[in-house]
Amino acid sequence: MLVVIDPIGLVPMFLALAGDRDAAEQRRIALRAILVAAGILVSFGLGGAWLMGWLGISLDAFRVAGGVLLFRIAVQMVFASYERETKAEKDESRLRQDVSVFPLAIPIIAGPGAIASLLILTGESKAYPLGFVLVLAMTGFVLMLGHMALIVSRPIGRLLGQTGVNVVTRVLGVLLAALAAQYVADGVRGFLA
């Protein structure tokens, strides 16, 4: 979840969307975005398995699909062409007063990659005692890191600069690519078994 949500990678996007707001407004936007993203992720964590069962989608199929999706995101991160929203979404966000729900909470924080990862991890967690609780707790921890990064986005942006943010994002992209390849391999192995 750390490499998918990418708290440091949220900083430049947050600054682009809310950098011109005063500090109190930025804190309000950051908190609301994280809480909405948490609600979305918890909803998928709790109800995702039921939804997949209802739609007839196996965990192995979701692993392969999620792995392919995450690999696409990873390649974009590594080659610094990472866009978490479409051009139309970006244009609409500039017209909105409140950017906390859209585009920050979804699709930037709780986007398809985070949702896919959470569904895969919660599916795999059933093999371990308290695994499900641990997955949700770690997701909450990563969201707390994301909130802290948003709160201190101006100093982080100044400290790392665009080059530093790009380096962190690219390293996380490589890790995400490896994770995506593992998801696909596990899914294919499950299909073959």
Side-chain angles (χ1 to χ4, degrees):
M1 293 308 291
L2 180 69
V3 296
V4 176
I5 294 175
D6 184 13
I8 297 296
L10 296 175
V11 169
M13 289 179 267
F14 182 74
L15 290 174
L17 291 168
D20 60 340
R21 316 277 174 104
D22 63 62
E25 178 72 4
Q26 283 184 351
R27 284 191 300 277
R28 187 195 65 75
I29 290 171
L31 179 61
R32 186 165 185 217
I34 293 296
L35 290 176
V36 169
I40 291 166
L41 292 173
V42 166
S43 296
F44 273 95
L46 295 173
W50 173 84
L51 180 63
M52 286 180 20
W54 186 71
L55 294 173
I57 300 170
S58 71
L59 184 58
D60 290 321
F62 204 83
R63 281 185 183 116
V64 172
V68 169
L69 175 67
L70 290 174
F71 191 79
R72 180 181 181 274
I73 293 169
V75 168
Q76 290 175 328
M77 289 171 73
V78 169
F79 291 106
S81 61
Y82 188 47
E83 294 292 328
R84 295 190 189 197
E85 58 187 341
T86 65
K87 183 182 180 326
E89 290 171 333
K90 190 180 291 186
D91 291 342
E92 181 181 344
S93 72
R94 289 192 182 115
L95 302 174
R96 291 178 173 261
Q97 292 292 345
D98 184 5
V99 296
S100 59
V101 174
F102 173 82
L104 276 177
I106 189 162
I108 292 175
I109 300 169
I115 292 169
S117 293
L118 185 66
L119 286 174
I120 291 167
L121 291 171
T122 56
E124 292 174 347
S125 72
K126 294 175 184 169
Y128 305 98
L130 297 175
F132 181 77
V133 173
L134 184 60
V135 168
L136 289 182
M138 293 312 299
T139 301
F141 179 71
V142 171
L143 287 170
M144 285 182 2
L145 291 176
H147 183 246
M148 289 176 10
L150 296 181
I151 293 297
V152 295
S153 59
R154 283 185 184 173
I156 289 175
R158 282 192 302 270
L159 176 69
L160 293 178
Q162 188 60 49
T163 301
V165 170
N166 286 346
V167 167
V168 170
T169 298
R170 286 179 173 144
V171 168
L172 291 176
V174 171
L175 294 173
L176 183 58
L179 181 65
Q182 188 64 54
Y183 283 167
V184 171
D186 290 347
V188 170
R189 190 177 311 120
F191 278 134
L192 296 176

Short mmCIF file of all heavy atoms in Angstrom, two decimals, residues 4-67:
data_model
loop_
_atom_site.label_atom_id
_atom_site.label_comp_id
_atom_site.label_asym_id
_atom_site.label_seq_id
_atom_site.Cartn_x
_atom_site.Cartn_y
_atom_site.Cartn_z
N VAL A 4 1.88 2.03 -3.56
CA VAL A 4 0.75 2.39 -4.41
C VAL A 4 0.22 3.78 -4.06
O VAL A 4 0.00 4.61 -4.94
CB VAL A 4 -0.38 1.34 -4.30
CG1 VAL A 4 -1.58 1.76 -5.11
CG2 VAL A 4 0.11 -0.01 -4.76
N ILE A 5 0.02 4.04 -2.77
CA ILE A 5 -0.49 5.35 -2.36
C ILE A 5 0.58 6.41 -2.50
O ILE A 5 0.29 7.55 -2.87
CB ILE A 5 -1.08 5.28 -0.94
CG1 ILE A 5 -2.33 4.38 -0.96
CG2 ILE A 5 -1.43 6.67 -0.41
CD1 ILE A 5 -2.96 4.11 0.39
N ASP A 6 1.85 6.07 -2.23
CA ASP A 6 3.00 6.95 -2.47
C ASP A 6 2.83 8.33 -1.80
O ASP A 6 2.62 9.33 -2.47
CB ASP A 6 3.21 7.10 -3.97
CG ASP A 6 4.44 7.92 -4.34
OD1 ASP A 6 5.29 8.17 -3.46
OD2 ASP A 6 4.56 8.31 -5.52
N PRO A 7 2.91 8.36 -0.45
CA PRO A 7 2.70 9.63 0.25
C PRO A 7 3.57 10.79 -0.26
O PRO A 7 3.08 11.91 -0.40
CB PRO A 7 3.04 9.29 1.71
CG PRO A 7 2.72 7.84 1.82
CD PRO A 7 3.11 7.25 0.48
N ILE A 8 4.85 10.53 -0.56
CA ILE A 8 5.71 11.61 -1.07
C ILE A 8 5.26 12.05 -2.46
O ILE A 8 5.29 13.23 -2.78
CB ILE A 8 7.19 11.16 -1.09
CG1 ILE A 8 7.69 10.86 0.32
CG2 ILE A 8 8.07 12.21 -1.76
CD1 ILE A 8 7.71 12.06 1.24
N GLY A 9 4.80 11.11 -3.26
CA GLY A 9 4.31 11.44 -4.59
C GLY A 9 3.03 12.26 -4.58
O GLY A 9 2.69 12.91 -5.57
N LEU A 10 2.31 12.25 -3.44
CA LEU A 10 1.11 13.07 -3.31
C LEU A 10 1.45 14.56 -3.20
O LEU A 10 0.63 15.41 -3.54
CB LEU A 10 0.31 12.65 -2.08
CG LEU A 10 -0.27 11.25 -2.06
CD1 LEU A 10 -0.93 10.98 -0.70
CD2 LEU A 10 -1.25 11.04 -3.19
N VAL A 11 2.66 14.86 -2.72
CA VAL A 11 3.03 16.25 -2.42
C VAL A 11 2.90 17.17 -3.63
O VAL A 11 2.23 18.20 -3.55
CB VAL A 11 4.44 16.32 -1.78
CG1 VAL A 11 4.96 17.74 -1.71
CG2 VAL A 11 4.41 15.69 -0.39
N PRO A 12 3.53 16.86 -4.78
CA PRO A 12 3.42 17.81 -5.89
C PRO A 12 1.99 17.96 -6.40
O PRO A 12 1.59 19.07 -6.80
CB PRO A 12 4.34 17.24 -6.97
CG PRO A 12 4.67 15.87 -6.57
CD PRO A 12 4.43 15.75 -5.09
N MET A 13 1.21 16.88 -6.36
CA MET A 13 -0.18 16.98 -6.81
C MET A 13 -1.00 17.83 -5.85
O MET A 13 -1.83 18.63 -6.28
CB MET A 13 -0.78 15.59 -6.98
CG MET A 13 -0.20 14.86 -8.18
SD MET A 13 -0.86 13.22 -8.38
CE MET A 13 0.36 12.29 -7.49
N PHE A 14 -0.76 17.65 -4.56
CA PHE A 14 -1.47 18.45 -3.56
C PHE A 14 -1.12 19.92 -3.71
O PHE A 14 -1.99 20.78 -3.67
CB PHE A 14 -1.13 17.95 -2.15
CG PHE A 14 -1.86 18.69 -1.07
CD1 PHE A 14 -3.20 18.48 -0.84
CD2 PHE A 14 -1.19 19.60 -0.26
CE1 PHE A 14 -3.88 19.15 0.17
CE2 PHE A 14 -1.85 20.28 0.75
CZ PHE A 14 -3.20 20.05 0.97
N LEU A 15 0.17 20.21 -3.90
CA LEU A 15 0.59 21.60 -4.07
C LEU A 15 -0.01 22.21 -5.33
O LEU A 15 -0.38 23.39 -5.35
CB LEU A 15 2.11 21.70 -4.09
CG LEU A 15 2.79 21.44 -2.75
CD1 LEU A 15 4.30 21.42 -2.91
CD2 LEU A 15 2.36 22.47 -1.70
N ALA A 16 -0.13 21.42 -6.39
CA ALA A 16 -0.71 21.93 -7.63
C ALA A 16 -2.20 22.25 -7.44
O ALA A 16 -2.70 23.23 -8.00
CB ALA A 16 -0.54 20.92 -8.76
N LEU A 17 -2.89 21.45 -6.63
CA LEU A 17 -4.32 21.64 -6.44
C LEU A 17 -4.66 22.61 -5.32
O LEU A 17 -5.67 23.31 -5.39
CB LEU A 17 -4.99 20.29 -6.15
CG LEU A 17 -5.03 19.31 -7.32
CD1 LEU A 17 -5.45 17.94 -6.83
CD2 LEU A 17 -5.98 19.81 -8.40
N ALA A 18 -3.85 22.63 -4.26
CA ALA A 18 -4.21 23.43 -3.08
C ALA A 18 -3.07 24.32 -2.60
O ALA A 18 -3.17 24.91 -1.53
CB ALA A 18 -4.65 22.50 -1.95
N GLY A 19 -2.01 24.44 -3.38
CA GLY A 19 -0.85 25.22 -2.95
C GLY A 19 -1.11 26.70 -2.77
O GLY A 19 -0.42 27.37 -2.01
N ASP A 20 -2.14 27.21 -3.43
CA ASP A 20 -2.44 28.63 -3.31
C ASP A 20 -3.39 28.94 -2.16
O ASP A 20 -3.71 30.10 -1.90
CB ASP A 20 -3.05 29.14 -4.62
CG ASP A 20 -4.33 28.43 -5.00
OD1 ASP A 20 -4.57 27.31 -4.49
OD2 ASP A 20 -5.09 28.99 -5.82
N ARG A 21 -3.82 27.92 -1.42
CA ARG A 21 -4.73 28.13 -0.28
C ARG A 21 -3.91 28.41 0.98
O ARG A 21 -2.75 28.04 1.08
CB ARG A 21 -5.58 26.88 -0.04
CG ARG A 21 -6.16 26.23 -1.28
CD ARG A 21 -7.45 26.90 -1.72
NE ARG A 21 -7.93 26.37 -2.98
CZ ARG A 21 -8.94 25.53 -3.10
NH1 ARG A 21 -9.58 25.10 -2.05
NH2 ARG A 21 -9.31 25.11 -4.29
N ASP A 22 -4.54 29.04 1.97
CA ASP A 22 -3.82 29.30 3.22
C ASP A 22 -3.64 27.99 3.98
O ASP A 22 -4.26 26.97 3.67
CB ASP A 22 -4.56 30.34 4.07
CG ASP A 22 -5.94 29.89 4.52
OD1 ASP A 22 -6.04 28.89 5.25
OD2 ASP A 22 -6.92 30.56 4.13
N ALA A 23 -2.79 28.00 5.00
CA ALA A 23 -2.41 26.79 5.72
C ALA A 23 -3.61 26.09 6.36
O ALA A 23 -3.70 24.85 6.33
CB ALA A 23 -1.35 27.11 6.78
N ALA A 24 -4.54 26.84 6.94
CA ALA A 24 -5.71 26.24 7.58
C ALA A 24 -6.58 25.53 6.54
O ALA A 24 -7.07 24.41 6.79
CB ALA A 24 -6.52 27.30 8.32
N GLU A 25 -6.77 26.14 5.40
CA GLU A 25 -7.56 25.53 4.34
C GLU A 25 -6.86 24.27 3.80
O GLU A 25 -7.51 23.27 3.52
CB GLU A 25 -7.80 26.54 3.22
CG GLU A 25 -8.58 26.01 2.04
CD GLU A 25 -10.05 25.77 2.32
OE1 GLU A 25 -10.53 26.09 3.43
OE2 GLU A 25 -10.73 25.25 1.44
N GLN A 26 -5.54 24.32 3.67
CA GLN A 26 -4.80 23.14 3.22
C GLN A 26 -4.96 21.99 4.20
O GLN A 26 -5.13 20.84 3.79
CB GLN A 26 -3.32 23.47 3.04
CG GLN A 26 -3.02 24.24 1.78
CD GLN A 26 -1.54 24.46 1.59
OE1 GLN A 26 -0.73 24.19 2.48
NE2 GLN A 26 -1.18 24.97 0.42
N ARG A 27 -4.91 22.28 5.50
CA ARG A 27 -5.10 21.23 6.50
C ARG A 27 -6.50 20.62 6.41
O ARG A 27 -6.67 19.40 6.51
CB ARG A 27 -4.84 21.76 7.91
CG ARG A 27 -3.37 21.95 8.24
CD ARG A 27 -3.13 22.22 9.70
NE ARG A 27 -3.79 23.41 10.21
CZ ARG A 27 -3.32 24.65 10.10
NH1 ARG A 27 -2.15 24.86 9.53
NH2 ARG A 27 -3.98 25.68 10.58
N ARG A 28 -7.50 21.47 6.20
CA ARG A 28 -8.88 20.98 6.07
C ARG A 28 -9.02 20.10 4.83
O ARG A 28 -9.61 19.02 4.89
CB ARG A 28 -9.86 22.16 5.99
CG ARG A 28 -11.32 21.72 6.03
CD ARG A 28 -12.28 22.80 5.59
NE ARG A 28 -12.14 23.18 4.20
CZ ARG A 28 -12.57 22.44 3.15
NH1 ARG A 28 -13.14 21.29 3.36
NH2 ARG A 28 -12.42 22.86 1.92
N ILE A 29 -8.48 20.53 3.72
CA ILE A 29 -8.54 19.76 2.48
C ILE A 29 -7.81 18.43 2.66
O ILE A 29 -8.31 17.38 2.25
CB ILE A 29 -7.94 20.56 1.30
CG1 ILE A 29 -8.86 21.73 0.95
CG2 ILE A 29 -7.69 19.68 0.09
CD1 ILE A 29 -8.26 22.72 -0.04
N ALA A 30 -6.63 18.46 3.27
CA ALA A 30 -5.84 17.24 3.48
C ALA A 30 -6.60 16.24 4.34
O ALA A 30 -6.68 15.05 4.01
CB ALA A 30 -4.49 17.57 4.10
N LEU A 31 -7.17 16.71 5.45
CA LEU A 31 -7.89 15.81 6.36
C LEU A 31 -9.10 15.21 5.66
O LEU A 31 -9.33 13.99 5.72
CB LEU A 31 -8.32 16.56 7.63
CG LEU A 31 -9.10 15.72 8.63
CD1 LEU A 31 -8.25 14.55 9.13
CD2 LEU A 31 -9.57 16.58 9.80
N ARG A 32 -9.87 16.02 4.98
CA ARG A 32 -11.07 15.52 4.31
C ARG A 32 -10.70 14.52 3.21
O ARG A 32 -11.35 13.49 3.06
CB ARG A 32 -11.88 16.67 3.73
CG ARG A 32 -13.20 16.21 3.15
CD ARG A 32 -14.15 17.36 2.90
NE ARG A 32 -15.42 16.84 2.45
CZ ARG A 32 -16.16 17.42 1.54
NH1 ARG A 32 -15.78 18.58 1.03
NH2 ARG A 32 -17.29 16.90 1.16
N ALA A 33 -9.66 14.81 2.45
CA ALA A 33 -9.23 13.90 1.38
C ALA A 33 -8.83 12.55 1.95
O ALA A 33 -9.22 11.49 1.42
CB ALA A 33 -8.09 14.52 0.58
N ILE A 34 -8.07 12.56 3.03
CA ILE A 34 -7.62 11.31 3.65
C ILE A 34 -8.80 10.54 4.23
O ILE A 34 -8.89 9.31 4.08
CB ILE A 34 -6.53 11.57 4.71
CG1 ILE A 34 -5.25 12.08 4.05
CG2 ILE A 34 -6.27 10.34 5.56
CD1 ILE A 34 -4.57 11.10 3.11
N LEU A 35 -9.72 11.22 4.89
CA LEU A 35 -10.88 10.54 5.48
C LEU A 35 -11.77 9.93 4.40
O LEU A 35 -12.25 8.79 4.55
CB LEU A 35 -11.67 11.50 6.36
CG LEU A 35 -10.99 11.93 7.66
CD1 LEU A 35 -11.84 12.96 8.40
CD2 LEU A 35 -10.70 10.72 8.54
N VAL A 36 -11.99 10.64 3.31
CA VAL A 36 -12.81 10.10 2.22
C VAL A 36 -12.10 8.91 1.57
O VAL A 36 -12.71 7.88 1.31
CB VAL A 36 -13.15 11.20 1.18
CG1 VAL A 36 -13.77 10.60 -0.07
CG2 VAL A 36 -14.08 12.24 1.80
N ALA A 37 -10.79 9.04 1.33
CA ALA A 37 -10.02 7.93 0.75
C ALA A 37 -10.07 6.72 1.68
O ALA A 37 -10.24 5.58 1.23
CB ALA A 37 -8.58 8.35 0.50
N ALA A 38 -9.95 6.96 2.99
CA ALA A 38 -10.02 5.86 3.96
C ALA A 38 -11.39 5.18 3.89
O ALA A 38 -11.48 3.95 3.92
CB ALA A 38 -9.74 6.37 5.37
N GLY A 39 -12.44 5.97 3.81
CA GLY A 39 -13.78 5.40 3.70
C GLY A 39 -13.95 4.53 2.47
O GLY A 39 -14.54 3.45 2.53
N ILE A 40 -13.42 5.01 1.35
CA ILE A 40 -13.50 4.25 0.11
C ILE A 40 -12.73 2.94 0.25
O ILE A 40 -13.23 1.86 -0.09
CB ILE A 40 -12.97 5.09 -1.07
CG1 ILE A 40 -13.92 6.25 -1.36
CG2 ILE A 40 -12.75 4.23 -2.31
CD1 ILE A 40 -13.34 7.32 -2.25
N LEU A 41 -11.51 3.02 0.76
CA LEU A 41 -10.67 1.82 0.88
C LEU A 41 -11.25 0.83 1.90
O LEU A 41 -11.24 -0.38 1.65
CB LEU A 41 -9.24 2.21 1.23
CG LEU A 41 -8.49 2.93 0.11
CD1 LEU A 41 -7.13 3.42 0.59
CD2 LEU A 41 -8.35 2.07 -1.13
N VAL A 42 -11.73 1.33 3.02
CA VAL A 42 -12.34 0.42 4.02
C VAL A 42 -13.58 -0.25 3.42
O VAL A 42 -13.81 -1.45 3.62
CB VAL A 42 -12.67 1.18 5.32
CG1 VAL A 42 -13.58 0.35 6.23
CG2 VAL A 42 -11.39 1.54 6.07
N SER A 43 -14.38 0.51 2.68
CA SER A 43 -15.57 -0.07 2.03
C SER A 43 -15.18 -1.21 1.10
O SER A 43 -15.81 -2.27 1.11
CB SER A 43 -16.33 1.00 1.24
OG SER A 43 -16.82 1.98 2.11
N PHE A 44 -14.14 -1.00 0.30
CA PHE A 44 -13.69 -2.06 -0.59
C PHE A 44 -13.04 -3.19 0.20
O PHE A 44 -13.17 -4.36 -0.17
CB PHE A 44 -12.74 -1.53 -1.66
CG PHE A 44 -13.46 -1.02 -2.88
CD1 PHE A 44 -13.76 0.32 -2.99
CD2 PHE A 44 -13.84 -1.88 -3.89
CE1 PHE A 44 -14.44 0.81 -4.10
CE2 PHE A 44 -14.52 -1.41 -5.00
CZ PHE A 44 -14.83 -0.06 -5.11
N GLY A 45 -12.35 -2.86 1.29
CA GLY A 45 -11.75 -3.90 2.12
C GLY A 45 -12.80 -4.79 2.75
O GLY A 45 -12.65 -6.01 2.82
N LEU A 46 -13.90 -4.19 3.19
CA LEU A 46 -14.96 -4.95 3.85
C LEU A 46 -15.89 -5.64 2.85
O LEU A 46 -16.31 -6.77 3.08
CB LEU A 46 -15.78 -4.05 4.77
CG LEU A 46 -15.03 -3.46 5.97
CD1 LEU A 46 -15.91 -2.46 6.71
CD2 LEU A 46 -14.57 -4.57 6.91
N GLY A 47 -16.23 -4.95 1.77
CA GLY A 47 -17.22 -5.49 0.84
C GLY A 47 -16.69 -5.96 -0.50
O GLY A 47 -17.43 -6.47 -1.32
N GLY A 48 -15.40 -5.80 -0.72
CA GLY A 48 -14.82 -6.15 -2.02
C GLY A 48 -14.91 -7.62 -2.34
O GLY A 48 -15.21 -8.00 -3.48
N ALA A 49 -14.67 -8.47 -1.35
CA ALA A 49 -14.73 -9.92 -1.58
C ALA A 49 -16.16 -10.33 -1.95
O ALA A 49 -16.37 -11.14 -2.86
CB ALA A 49 -14.26 -10.68 -0.35
N TRP A 50 -17.13 -9.77 -1.25
CA TRP A 50 -18.53 -10.05 -1.57
C TRP A 50 -18.85 -9.61 -2.99
O TRP A 50 -19.47 -10.35 -3.77
CB TRP A 50 -19.46 -9.35 -0.58
CG TRP A 50 -20.91 -9.48 -1.00
CD1 TRP A 50 -21.73 -10.53 -0.72
CD2 TRP A 50 -21.65 -8.56 -1.78
NE1 TRP A 50 -22.96 -10.32 -1.30
CE2 TRP A 50 -22.94 -9.11 -1.96
CE3 TRP A 50 -21.37 -7.33 -2.36
CZ2 TRP A 50 -23.93 -8.47 -2.68
CZ3 TRP A 50 -22.36 -6.68 -3.09
CH2 TRP A 50 -23.63 -7.26 -3.24
N LEU A 51 -18.42 -8.39 -3.36
CA LEU A 51 -18.69 -7.87 -4.70
C LEU A 51 -18.04 -8.75 -5.77
O LEU A 51 -18.67 -9.07 -6.78
CB LEU A 51 -18.18 -6.43 -4.82
CG LEU A 51 -18.38 -5.74 -6.16
CD1 LEU A 51 -19.87 -5.60 -6.47
CD2 LEU A 51 -17.71 -4.37 -6.16
N MET A 52 -16.80 -9.15 -5.53
CA MET A 52 -16.12 -10.02 -6.50
C MET A 52 -16.85 -11.36 -6.62
O MET A 52 -17.00 -11.89 -7.73
CB MET A 52 -14.66 -10.23 -6.10
CG MET A 52 -13.81 -9.01 -6.37
SD MET A 52 -12.06 -9.13 -5.94
CE MET A 52 -11.68 -10.81 -5.85
N GLY A 53 -17.30 -11.92 -5.50
CA GLY A 53 -18.06 -13.17 -5.54
C GLY A 53 -19.36 -13.01 -6.30
O GLY A 53 -19.75 -13.87 -7.10
N TRP A 54 -20.05 -11.92 -6.04
CA TRP A 54 -21.33 -11.65 -6.70
C TRP A 54 -21.14 -11.50 -8.21
O TRP A 54 -21.99 -11.94 -8.99
CB TRP A 54 -21.94 -10.38 -6.10
CG TRP A 54 -23.32 -10.08 -6.60
CD1 TRP A 54 -24.46 -10.76 -6.31
CD2 TRP A 54 -23.68 -9.01 -7.46
NE1 TRP A 54 -25.53 -10.17 -6.94
CE2 TRP A 54 -25.07 -9.08 -7.66
CE3 TRP A 54 -22.97 -7.98 -8.06
CZ2 TRP A 54 -25.75 -8.19 -8.46
CZ3 TRP A 54 -23.67 -7.09 -8.85
CH2 TRP A 54 -25.04 -7.20 -9.04
N LEU A 55 -20.02 -10.90 -8.62
CA LEU A 55 -19.73 -10.73 -10.04
C LEU A 55 -19.06 -11.96 -10.65
O LEU A 55 -18.83 -12.00 -11.86
CB LEU A 55 -18.82 -9.51 -10.25
CG LEU A 55 -19.45 -8.16 -9.91
CD1 LEU A 55 -18.40 -7.05 -9.99
CD2 LEU A 55 -20.62 -7.86 -10.84
N GLY A 56 -18.72 -12.95 -9.82
CA GLY A 56 -18.09 -14.17 -10.33
C GLY A 56 -16.62 -13.99 -10.69
O GLY A 56 -16.11 -14.68 -11.57
N ILE A 57 -15.95 -13.09 -10.02
CA ILE A 57 -14.53 -12.82 -10.29
C ILE A 57 -13.70 -13.52 -9.22
O ILE A 57 -13.88 -13.26 -8.03
CB ILE A 57 -14.24 -11.30 -10.28
CG1 ILE A 57 -15.09 -10.60 -11.34
CG2 ILE A 57 -12.75 -11.04 -10.50
CD1 ILE A 57 -15.05 -9.07 -11.23
N SER A 58 -12.78 -14.38 -9.65
CA SER A 58 -11.93 -15.07 -8.68
C SER A 58 -10.80 -14.15 -8.22
O SER A 58 -10.45 -13.19 -8.91
CB SER A 58 -11.34 -16.33 -9.31
OG SER A 58 -10.36 -15.99 -10.28
N LEU A 59 -10.23 -14.49 -7.07
CA LEU A 59 -9.10 -13.72 -6.57
C LEU A 59 -7.91 -13.82 -7.54
O LEU A 59 -7.20 -12.83 -7.75
CB LEU A 59 -8.70 -14.18 -5.17
CG LEU A 59 -7.58 -13.38 -4.50
CD1 LEU A 59 -7.94 -11.91 -4.38
CD2 LEU A 59 -7.27 -13.96 -3.13
N ASP A 60 -7.75 -14.98 -8.16
CA ASP A 60 -6.64 -15.13 -9.12
C ASP A 60 -6.84 -14.22 -10.33
O ASP A 60 -5.89 -13.61 -10.81
CB ASP A 60 -6.50 -16.59 -9.56
CG ASP A 60 -5.99 -17.47 -8.44
OD1 ASP A 60 -5.11 -17.00 -7.68
OD2 ASP A 60 -6.46 -18.61 -8.31
N ALA A 61 -8.07 -14.12 -10.81
CA ALA A 61 -8.35 -13.21 -11.94
C ALA A 61 -8.08 -11.77 -11.53
O ALA A 61 -7.51 -10.99 -12.29
CB ALA A 61 -9.79 -13.37 -12.40
N PHE A 62 -8.47 -11.44 -10.31
CA PHE A 62 -8.23 -10.08 -9.83
C PHE A 62 -6.75 -9.82 -9.63
O PHE A 62 -6.28 -8.71 -9.87
CB PHE A 62 -9.00 -9.82 -8.53
CG PHE A 62 -9.28 -8.37 -8.32
CD1 PHE A 62 -10.37 -7.77 -8.93
CD2 PHE A 62 -8.43 -7.59 -7.55
CE1 PHE A 62 -10.61 -6.42 -8.76
CE2 PHE A 62 -8.67 -6.25 -7.38
CZ PHE A 62 -9.77 -5.65 -7.99
N ARG A 63 -6.00 -10.83 -9.22
CA ARG A 63 -4.54 -10.68 -9.09
C ARG A 63 -3.92 -10.33 -10.44
O ARG A 63 -3.09 -9.44 -10.54
CB ARG A 63 -3.91 -11.95 -8.55
CG ARG A 63 -4.03 -12.14 -7.08
CD ARG A 63 -3.25 -13.38 -6.63
NE ARG A 63 -3.43 -13.60 -5.23
CZ ARG A 63 -4.01 -14.68 -4.72
NH1 ARG A 63 -4.46 -15.64 -5.50
NH2 ARG A 63 -4.14 -14.80 -3.42
N VAL A 64 -4.31 -11.07 -11.47
CA VAL A 64 -3.75 -10.81 -12.81
C VAL A 64 -4.16 -9.42 -13.29
O VAL A 64 -3.31 -8.63 -13.72
CB VAL A 64 -4.19 -11.90 -13.81
CG1 VAL A 64 -3.78 -11.53 -15.23
CG2 VAL A 64 -3.60 -13.25 -13.42
N ALA A 65 -5.45 -9.10 -13.19
CA ALA A 65 -5.92 -7.79 -13.64
C ALA A 65 -5.29 -6.67 -12.82
O ALA A 65 -4.83 -5.65 -13.37
CB ALA A 65 -7.45 -7.72 -13.55
N GLY A 66 -5.26 -6.84 -11.51
CA GLY A 66 -4.65 -5.83 -10.65
C GLY A 66 -3.16 -5.69 -10.92
O GLY A 66 -2.62 -4.58 -10.94
N GLY A 67 -2.49 -6.80 -11.15
CA GLY A 67 -1.06 -6.77 -11.46
C GLY A 67 -0.77 -6.01 -12.75
O GLY A 67 0.16 -5.21 -12.83
#
